[in-house]
Amino acid sequence: MTFIDDVLQGRATIDDFNAYSEAWNDSEEDLGEFHDYAGMLWPEYALWATDHDHISGDDVLEYVIAARRHKVGLLDHLRSVKDQDPTAAEIYRLCGWWAKDWEAVSQHYGED
């Protein structure tokens, strides 16, 4: 199970993310790439990992989890709420930094 799976199943909260990161770092076995271990697509992880003036990594995690709950990709979820939610609008704008990565993963989630 990934961090995202555990949050969706009620076994973890966003506050537990650092513990998952520490477990990955401390593991002696190969757990793969951290973004996979956490349950995030590469561009979602890139958004989380990059310092931004107006959003935090926790903000990004909240929207990634919300998208999974709605069973849509992050871009579709952000697009659906960005007109009413300034944080979603800012994250949606920042997604442009990884446009090629989003294009590569968009077919997986059926995003346009």
Side-chain angles (χ1 to χ4, degrees), residues 31-92:
L31 299 176
E33 297 291 327
F34 178 70
H35 71 278
D36 290 328
Y37 176 79
M40 292 187 283
L41 299 171
W42 169 250
E44 294 167 340
Y45 173 75
L47 280 169
W48 171 83
T50 303
D51 288 332
H52 302 289
D53 291 334
H54 304 290
I55 62 167
S56 70
D58 284 354
D59 290 333
V60 173
L61 288 174
E62 296 256 354
Y63 288 95
V64 169
I65 291 164
R68 297 294 198 290
R69 281 193 175 114
H70 290 96
K71 298 184 184 336
V72 298
L74 179 60
L75 287 177
D76 283 338
H77 177 65
L78 292 169
R79 192 177 296 121
S80 73
V81 298
K82 68 182 177 68
D83 291 335
Q84 300 84 30
D85 182 338
T87 303
E90 178 65 8
I91 295 171
Y92 185 76

Side-chain angles (χ1 to χ4, degrees), residues 90-112:
E90 178 65 8
I91 295 171
Y92 185 76
R93 184 188 70 76
L94 293 169
C95 287
W97 290 1
W98 295 279
K100 289 182 181 181
D101 292 326
W102 279 117
E103 185 177 312
V105 300
S106 66
Q107 292 176 351
H108 178 72
Y109 283 100
E111 296 175 353
D112 51 36

